[in-house]
Amino acid sequence: MRLLWAVVAGLVIAALLFEPTMVWTLGVGVYLVAAGEFSGLWMIVTGYGLACLPSAFGLLIATGRFWLSLTHSLWIGILYGLAGFLLLDQILGVLAPYGW
């Protein structure tokens, strides 16, 4: 039952607070770095942190172990941030012929 509440908490936190901001910061950060502006690295780091937070809170609720939830959320953040960035890339690819 505790694992179920952890999944629910992680999904609610991610969906309501962090998903749009995470995708935006990752996208703009990668764009800035590609344009030669290394200030975009801060946005990439911030987007990665936002990708890690929901899983860190969910795992902390599920296991009650701080370091385990922190280390596992770092790996989950990589996958979650990559999936969000690729989703943004696909959406922009669909909208590009329409002048977006």
Side-chain angles (χ1 to χ4, degrees):
M1 191 64 170
R2 196 171 187 187
L3 183 60
L4 173 67
W5 283 112
V7 170
V8 169
L11 287 175
V12 167
I13 290 168
L16 294 178
L17 299 175
F18 297 116
E19 180 68 25
T21 309
M22 181 262 304
V23 171
W24 185 83
T25 54
L26 283 173
V28 172
V30 169
Y31 174 77
L32 286 173
V33 169
E37 289 288 329
F38 289 105
S39 61
L41 290 173
W42 287 109
M43 297 193 80
I44 292 174
V45 169
T46 304
Y48 175 65
L50 290 172
C52 294
L53 280 177
S55 57
F57 283 124
L59 286 168
L60 185 60
I61 293 169
T63 62
R65 298 169 60 191
F66 176 76
W67 290 111
L68 177 81
S69 64
L70 181 66
T71 56
H72 280 67
S73 70
L74 294 175
W75 291 106
I76 294 170
I78 290 172
L79 298 175
Y80 186 57
L82 183 63
F85 182 75
L86 291 176
L87 177 66
L88 175 69
D89 186 45
Q90 293 297 318
I91 291 170
L92 291 177
V94 169
L95 296 175
Y98 302 108
W100 282 76

